[in-house]
Amino acid sequence: MEVLTHPFSAVALLDERRRTMVGVIDIGSNSLRLVIYDRISRSPMVLFNEKVMCALGRGLNSSGRLNPEGVTLARDNIERFVALARGLGVSRLDIIATAAVRDASDGARFVADIEQRNQVKVRVIDGVEEGRLSAAGVRAGIPDADGITGDLGGGSVEVAMTGAVVPPLVASLPIGALRLAEGVGDDDAKARRIVDQAVASLDWLPQGRGRRFYAVGGTWRALARIHMEQTGYPLHIIQNYSVGRQEIESFTDLIGRQSRRSLEKVAGISRKRLETVPLAAYVLYRLVKTIQPDRVVFSAYGLREGHLFEQLPPAEQRLDPLLTAAEAIARINPRFAPGSEELVRWTDPLFPDEAAGQKRLRRAAALLSDIGWSEHPDYRDEQTFMRCLRMPVAGLDHQGRAFLAVALHARYGGNPDAPILSRIFGLIDEATIGRARAVGLGLRLAYTLSGGAPGLVGSAVLEADDTTLALTVPEHTAIYTGEAVQRRLDALGRAVGKRTLVRTENAEAPPPAKKRARG
């Protein structure tokens, strides 16, 4: 049998990735992680992600040295990670070490050994640099971030003002969860005194009052998972998970007072985190009490993403990560050449009072509007709904995820009463669901008229006034007429609360509607 090749084949895609892939090994006080990204870009795609709990910083407080067992484990796994990265063909591999390595008396020897064994360069960063990169990572994932970032590691907590333009306020506090656990044992009162003194030493923290606190770090992510489980939250995605100040204060105060035995019964905590979760909860509680942000936002983006983000030119840093990612997703398996801007312009008359943020989501929906074409027809609506809801992309809060999922569900003909929509109940209200469905049904009509080919939809014109949604089509053009067109126009009309009308350009027609757009 002859094997056919295609310019967009898997082999061609892999060859392209090998020229651009970049790997980052993060040597932390508690964990060691390798992440491989497809490229350094505004929306890098994670191709590989593996973590090993080495606990390099265990015992550092008392001995001043790295944990010997952790050193052996780290050394072996770094060797494995380097071999994996090279085997996968990364064009570049960056290795970054943080608190435990920089603070230990034998940290330099550990680094020299790693460099000699693997023929690599290890970059040991100080606390200020670590805090700055963590804040950059938050901005990479949440472009409009404004407040204070806290990154809790095993050995330290880095705190940094965060925003597009902020004063250089960054600090590193020696109150990492592993270091605290080692230093205070079962003396909760002592742990609280150490945390309180460290937090009180930063007189600029109240500048974050009424803004956001961005929580970065594995143990704080564990806290977010516990909160999701306890509250029955419908979407288990850490990135951009947001909790109000009073609620997070009550929650962290409660968790901070629990014993290990009590926490063993709580879903969402790995056994390796049990020792540090109560201390991590108290550190977050004390920071929130001091800063008084309006909300705490958990970020899965941190030091590694900040490291990549800072290597981008300023113009690329300013790109919208959601739209960049949506465009990349659309290009992975295209049916026809993308025509997303044509779709945005064509559906403009449906949304005359649209805010900038709403149009941004409509533009993202247009970019993603054909990603389900290769799915089985009976499941396109559900498959695309789940894909949009769980996309591993930046620049999207949970409400935005729900909006896009509903819009693309409607674009593929999903029933508004489908049980799968219950997954977003509580994330967006009925009015927003209705708007999302209108976006999706507008895209569905556009695809009915054009078959997905760019340029065709522009010959039909969508118009809207206070009562009527009209579709004006060229005379004697069969491609724009038929039962399917009328049925999908009617569905769109019901979604926006207007009667519908199809007319030809030269036919007698009512007065022109107020809004008119061509693709």
Side-chain angles (χ1 to χ4, degrees):
M1 179 183 294
E2 182 182 1
V3 178
L4 300 178
T5 61
H6 189 277
F8 294 104
S9 68
V11 173
L13 179 62
L14 286 173
D15 285 343
E16 169 64 20
R17 280 182 175 169
R18 285 193 180 98
R19 291 192 290 271
T20 60
M21 281 193 302
V22 57
V24 181
I25 297 177
D26 178 4
I27 306 172
S29 300
N30 203 24
S31 64
L32 169 72
R33 188 184 292 270
L34 166 66
V35 183
I36 296 177
Y37 303 87
D38 64 334
R39 65 184 65 237
I40 297 176
S41 70
R42 188 60 188 88
S43 296
M45 182 184 300
V46 174
L47 304 178
F48 183 90
N49 187 338
E50 185 172 314
K51 177 183 69 176
V52 180
M53 302 296 284
C54 294
L56 272 174
R58 186 179 297 280
L60 181 61
N61 263 3
S62 57
S63 70
R65 299 169 62 85
L66 295 172
N67 171 21
E69 293 179 0
V71 167
T72 300
L73 193 57
R75 184 177 59 216
D76 292 345
N77 279 280
I78 290 171
E79 188 171 344
R80 174 175 175 272
F81 283 171
V82 171
L84 263 175
R86 287 171 175 163
L88 291 170
V90 299
S91 62
R92 170 177 170 179
L93 179 62
D94 296 342
I95 305 178
I96 302 170
T98 56
V101 174
R102 70 174 175 253
D103 292 344
S105 61
D106 57 345
R109 187 169 63 188
F110 170 78
V111 167
D113 181 48
I114 295 299
E115 291 181 335
Q116 190 276 328
R117 284 172 176 268
N118 300 283
Q119 297 301 296
V120 294
K121 180 66 178 175
V122 178
R123 178 185 170 201
V124 183
I125 60 175
D126 62 25
V128 170
E129 178 77 349
E130 187 176 353
R132 189 176 61 78
L133 290 177
S134 294
V138 167
R139 289 195 295 116
I142 307 173
D144 59 351
D146 177 50
I148 295 178
T149 292
D151 185 353
L152 174 71
S156 60
V157 175
E158 278 63 48
V159 188
M161 294 296 296
T162 304
V165 179
V166 295
L169 296 174
V170 186
S172 180
L173 304 174
I175 51 172
L178 190 61
R179 176 173 287 182
L180 274 174
E182 290 285 332
V184 303
D186 295 328
D187 192 341
D188 291 343
K190 182 179 179 181
R192 290 169 182 255
R193 285 196 303 271
I194 292 172
V195 172
D196 293 350
Q197 289 171 4
V199 172
S201 69
L202 301 182
D203 59 4
W204 51 266
L205 288 180
Q207 292 185 34
R209 184 170 187 171
R211 297 156 76 184
R212 300 291 168 92
F213 180 79
Y214 301 94
V216 178
T219 311
W220 279 346
R221 289 196 295 271
L223 283 175
R225 292 188 187 95
I226 298 168
H227 190 266
M228 288 175 170
E229 291 286 346
Q230 297 298 303
T231 60
Y233 192 73
L235 186 60
H236 282 208
I237 292 176
I238 298 299
Q239 177 64 15
N240 243 320
Y241 181 58
S242 175
V243 185
R245 177 171 63 86
Q246 292 184 342
E247 185 175 356
I248 201 70
E249 281 184 9
S250 298
F251 172 71
T252 52
D253 184 43
L254 175 64
I255 296 296
R257 298 179 186 278
Q258 300 303 303
S259 67
R260 180 188 177 108
R261 180 173 296 179
S262 297
L263 290 173
E264 285 177 346
K265 305 172 185 177
V266 177
I269 309 179
S270 71
R271 299 189 68 83
K272 292 183 178 180
R273 297 279 187 196
L274 284 173
E275 179 184 17
T276 57
V277 162
L279 293 170
Y282 185 73
V283 173
L284 183 55
Y285 171 81
R286 177 46 58 192
L287 284 167
V288 171
K289 270 288 191 183
T290 302
I291 297 169
Q292 295 188 45
D294 64 340
R295 302 189 72 80
V296 170
V297 179
F298 292 88
S299 174
Y301 287 59
L303 182 146
R304 293 177 297 275
E305 291 74 23
H307 169 68
L308 298 186
F309 182 72
E310 289 211 333
Q311 296 175 56
L312 296 174
E316 195 166 350
Q317 289 182 358
R318 290 192 292 270
L319 293 177
D320 188 318
L322 168 61
L323 300 182
T324 303
E327 185 175 4
I329 291 169
R331 288 180 175 177
I332 289 174
N333 186 26
R335 186 165 51 142
F336 303 109
S340 59
E341 281 306 306
E342 178 183 20
L343 293 173
V344 173
R345 291 194 300 271
W346 195 79
T347 54
D348 275 344
L350 296 170
F351 308 101
D353 302 318
E354 190 175 48
Q358 293 171 327
K359 186 162 188 176
R360 173 179 179 263
L361 288 176
R362 181 160 60 93
R363 180 167 277 113
L367 282 163
L368 298 168
S369 59
D370 209 27
I371 62 171
W373 74 269
S374 59
E375 301 286 353
H376 189 286
D378 292 348
Y379 298 100
R380 283 176 185 153
D381 55 345
E382 291 189 2
Q383 295 283 68
T384 310
F385 175 90
M386 294 305 300
R387 187 176 177 187
C388 287
L389 192 63
R390 296 172 174 176
M391 285 187 301
V393 300
L396 190 61
D397 61 19
H398 290 193
Q399 292 71 35
R401 288 178 179 278
F403 183 96
L404 290 178
V406 172
L408 271 292
H409 182 260
R411 180 270 181 262
Y412 283 106
N415 190 313
D417 298 319
I420 198 170
L421 294 183
S422 65
R423 292 177 178 269
I424 54 88
F425 291 168
L427 293 177
I428 53 177
D429 58 24
E430 287 295 327
T432 306
I433 291 174
R435 186 181 190 87
R437 282 194 55 79
V439 169
L441 291 170
L443 294 170
R444 184 167 176 79
L445 176 60
Y447 276 88
T448 303
L449 294 166
S450 68
L456 289 181
V457 74
S459 297
V461 178
L462 197 63
E463 303 172 280
D465 62 18
D466 292 340
T467 61
T468 305
L469 180 65
L471 180 68
T472 302
V473 300
E475 192 174 15
H476 307 306
T477 308
I479 192 173
Y480 296 120
T481 60
E483 186 271 339
V485 171
Q486 185 65 61
R487 175 162 41 86
R488 291 177 181 176
L489 176 65
D490 289 344
L492 178 57
R494 289 192 295 272
V496 296
K498 301 180 190 297
R499 69 184 184 94
T500 59
L501 174 68
V502 178
R503 61 193 179 206
T504 56
E505 285 186 335
N506 296 325
E508 292 295 326
K514 293 180 179 179
K515 297 289 181 180
R516 178 181 176 92
R518 291 185 181 270

